[in-house]
């Protein structure tokens, strides 16, 4: 997901250099959305991993 965000930012930079401001803005918006989705998924998996670790620890003890 972060890889797609970085690719979108690179495309936006190229478009901005070439003078396509509207398209560059669109790609920056896409990169922002992908970045925040990646952060949300990371947080979700972090919480699930911590909860699963506690469950395994309780089962072993």
């Amino acid at each position: 997901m972060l890889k797609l965000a970085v690719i979108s930012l690179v495309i936006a930079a190229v478009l901005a250099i070439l003078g396509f401001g509207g398209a560059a803005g669109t790609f920056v918006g896409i990169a922002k959305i992908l970045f925040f989705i990646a952060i949300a998924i990371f947080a979700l998996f972090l919480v699930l991993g911590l909860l699963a670790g506690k469950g395994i620890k309780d089962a072993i003890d």
Side-chain angles (χ1 to χ4, degrees):
M1 189 72 65
L2 288 175
K3 184 178 180 180
L4 292 174
V6 170
I7 291 170
S8 294
L9 282 175
V10 169
I11 292 171
V14 170
L15 288 173
I17 290 170
L18 294 175
F20 298 105
T26 302
F27 275 97
V28 168
I30 291 170
K32 283 182 186 178
I33 291 169
L34 290 174
F35 176 74
F36 287 120
I37 290 172
I39 295 297
I41 290 172
F42 169 76
L44 176 69
F45 283 140
L46 181 66
V47 169
L48 290 175
L50 290 173
L51 292 176
K54 287 183 181 180
I56 292 172
K57 182 181 176 189
D58 292 340
I60 292 173
D61 291 338

